[in-house]
Amino acid sequence: MFRRILTLPTGRIAVGIIAFIALLAVAGPFLAPYDPLEGGAEILAGPSGAHWLGTDYLGRDVLSRLLDGSRVSVLGSIQVSLVALVAGVIPGILSVYLGSVFEWVTLRLADTLIALPFLVFAVAVTALLGNGIPQAMFTVGIMISPLFFRVSRAATLSVARSQYVEAALISGASVGWVVRKHVWVKVLPPIAVALANTAGIGFVVVSSLTFLGIGVQPPAPTWGGVLAADLGYLSFRPWAPLVPTFLIMATVWACNLLADAIRDVSGEAGRALLLNRGRGHVPARTA
Amino acid sequence: MSLLEITDLDVHYRRRTGRLHVLRSVSLSLSPGETVGVIGETGSGKSTLARTILGLVKASAGRIAIDGTDVASLKPRQWRELRRRGVVQYVFQDPLRSLDPDLTVLDSLAEPLRIQGAAGIRDKILKILARVRLDEALLDRLPGELSGGQRQRVAVARALITEPRLVLLDEPVSALDSANRVQVLELLKELRDAGTALLFISHDLGSVAGIADRIAVLYEGEIVEDRPSADVINAPVHPYTRKLIRSVPTLRRADRRTPEGIPA
Amino acid sequence: MSLLALRDVKIAYDREIVHGVSFTLEPGAVVGIVGESGSGKTLTCRAALGILPEHFRISGGSIELDGHDVASLTPKQWTALRGSTISAVFQDPASYLNPSLTIGSQVAEVVRVKLGLGRRAARLRAVELLASVRLPAAVYKQYPHELSGGMLQRSLIAAAIAAQPKVLIADEATTALDVTVQAEILDLLAELRESTGLALVVVSHDLAVVAQFCDEVLVMRDGTVVEQGPVEKILYQPEHEYTRLLIEEHESYGLERYLVTS
Ligand SMILES: Nc1ncnc2c1ncn2[C@@H]1O[C@H](COP(=O)(O)OP(=O)(O)OP(=O)(O)O)[C@@H](O)[C@H]1O
Ligand SMILES: Nc1ncnc2c1ncn2[C@@H]1O[C@H](COP(=O)(O)OP(=O)(O)OP(=O)(O)O)[C@@H](O)[C@H]1O
Ligand SMILES: [Mg+2]
Ligand SMILES: [Mg+2]
């Protein structure tokens, strides 16, 4: 599947950008020319040979802060996605197989989570659990998990009722076999799409939380934090917010692009199109 | 002893609009080496009968015994054991829906064998392919990339590959041209002669008459006739059977007959 | 003027699969296609509807539909033509229905969109259509998985004739029906033929159906039309050996053989 994603131009762009950001996250802190926490003499300086992106209100090198902050931002987004994935997909698939009580409980839980206002909840929980990156990301992941719950449940449901699963059961297949051989491949593409989308959302959320000062202790740099600092001194360096904004947006955009590419190659779009075309006389609902 | 013994089977479907009584007090038995044809109106419950025997639909009353075991008493584990031994297999009415769209023909054919943990999978596949006259080149295709008749033969091959002792066939030749149909029917006859029991559901009376020892006629969920094939074809008793046999189209154009209503 | 004309239509993807099919269909006429499984009958029908599977293309010849050369049609024009001018019932009925919508709503939608009827009127018309294919009224509110194979097929026929098409392609459209219902459906189509001039392309493995229903027959094998002509000639004086084989094999499992003539 990965190779097929790379055959699409959008897929290549998305993977390229994401690879670049990942590289930043791994190598960024080592590449930073200055200590991101150490202030210098020049305050709010413009770009120069010594400080490519200038310095902030404490005289810290902005480039170093961005490079160093990339790890926290990317790791945060990955954490959010993983928590959402695990907390959503497993109950999503099991809700189809584990009987009506489990199904009822998980459905209500998912509805409740969706109904809660997002940021307010995140702020409240970090206040409760303490202000740290893991707590914040965990909370956000749980908040997003209903998306995974729904996607994986819907896919599992449609597969579970299908005749090819019945055909496997007639041949003596166990539930484990059915999930491995039939359910999994059908559930995977929509989950991959959801995952790419969540990584984007996670990124925005991590950035906005750190922008608000939630989740990280102030001196530690993050992209959202740099953006917040830049916004505070707009009159001195009006162009400054563009750099972190651009980084955040490019990442989110790449994630969404990747989601589209997965959807294209996973054949879901192809099959739906064939159906619509095949249904000929029944006009496509989606049109 | 009979391989399949059904007594007073009742089946209901639960719907939003109420319960639908599909099978009423159906009794049927099938011995090794015997073939029973099931014919009947569309929607009369033929597929439901097959699906109930397989445990895909729950019976509301009656008894089904496969190989002497009352299947109602089986725990899920035991059911799985019975199925895995390959005692009973099913050819679904709609071949396209019964094949996983993401599995190649090869993987679909191999699945029942892999579940059993059998050896020599590839040889078995090639052997059965030849017997249903499918080209080896189709093994790498997905079900959506086959013609209707090719898919149907894959579905038949899949059901026969574990050499089950009881095979329920739901319209197994409906999408085949006459030459391929004869081929599949001959294959089934060979299996029957080797001791396999067949339940052959079809609207094609010619095929049923050609292969079945007995014909059971299902009408509105009841078996209204269950007699030797030649008797049912030549001296139908129930009005529906008579109407059915009178309506069979023939090659002679002038023979076109419009069916009359069944007297109540 | 003919409603549908295929001239030496060839279909290919990596290699050529259909090597030239030609026929013309006048209003009220019925052309039958019979032949070996996998010979390209369904592909030919799909080409006429502009719905070839992915990677397939028309590699030669031309198709004219109701005065339009289909090669020049835009997807939008195609959508407008399908349903109202040309319509089809295919093998494997379940894959052409949306599993999460009731049968009635899917038939009513065709009526609403293609004939521009209001919701109420479309609903009434859909109920009528379902009755015309001998389905009980309860089917309107049922989902595809709750129907038997024959009921699904009839629902699809109802949807296909809903927008009063001029050409109907019936690819094994009556295989899942018992012969009495099949006769009723064929009568219904014959009626439409008389009253509205509906033209049909009938693909069938049942030579008897073809014998009773078609004017002209094409016999296909391996992508080639081996014989073509009026139904009487093809079925009663076949020239090609494959046609002879088909008829012979048909009779070897024909019911006639088992009827003891008294
Ligand atoms: N899952 C289901 N839920 C509710 N009703 C069902 C379900 N499956 C089938 N039915 C109904 O049960 C009846 C019998 O269906 P069945 O599929 O057994 O008929 P059949 O004899 O196989 O017909 P055909 O020859 O058309 O395939 C039909 O009226 C059908 O609508
Ligand atoms: N999507 C596809 N990809 C590859 N090959 C295909 C595809 N669809 C059909 N074919 C091949 O093209 C040939 C013609 O197929 P087609 O469906 O037209 O046959 P048919 O005459 O309708 O046969 P049947 O009577 O069995 O339905 C077959 O050999 C089939 O395997
Ligand atoms: Mg059926
Ligand atoms: Mg076909």
Side-chain angles (χ1 to χ4, degrees), chain B residues 49-67:
Chain B
L49 175 62
R51 295 167 63 82
T52 313
I53 295 170
L54 289 155
L56 296 174
V57 174
K58 259 209 169 63
S60 35
R63 179 173 185 275
I64 299 175
I66 296 176
D67 205 9

Side-chain angles (χ1 to χ4, degrees), chain B residues 13-15 20 22 40-49 93 170-171 201 203 218, chain C residues 142 145-151 154 176-178:
Chain B
Y13 280 120
R14 221 179 308 148
R15 286 183 178 163
L20 181 72
V22 186
E41 220 179 6
T42 65
S44 59
K46 302 182 296 298
S47 304
T48 304
L49 175 62
Q93 184 169 10
D170 202 345
E171 300 282 355
I201 301 171
H203 287 306
L218 206 55
Chain C
Q142 278 172 265
H145 77 269
E146 297 176 329
L147 298 187
S148 79
M151 292 167 135
R154 279 178 284 166
L177 304 176
D178 69 71

Side-chain angles (χ1 to χ4, degrees), chain B residues 15 42 151 177 234 251 253, chain C residues 37 92 142 154 211 236 260:
Chain B
R15 286 183 178 163
T42 65
R151 276 197 289 265
D177 60 276
N234 285 297
L251 274 188
R253 210 168 200 205
Chain C
S37 163
D92 312 305
Q142 278 172 265
R154 279 178 284 166
Y236 306 138
V260 181

Side-chain angles (χ1 to χ4, degrees), chain A residues 167-189:
Chain A
L169 292 175
I170 286 171
S171 302
S174 58
V175 169
W177 175 281
V178 168
V179 171
R180 274 199 320 277
K181 303 283 174 175
H182 300 283
V183 177
W184 196 228
V185 274
K186 262 70 156 195
V187 181
L188 217 49

Side-chain angles (χ1 to χ4, degrees), chain B residues 67-88:
Chain B
D67 205 9
T69 327
D70 182 354
V71 296
S73 69
L74 291 179
K75 299 200 172 61
R77 273 191 76 89
Q78 294 168 313
W79 243 127
R80 209 158 63 229
E81 263 322 300
L82 182 86
R83 288 166 164 174
R84 187 170 306 175
R85 273 191 281 131
V87 176
V88 50

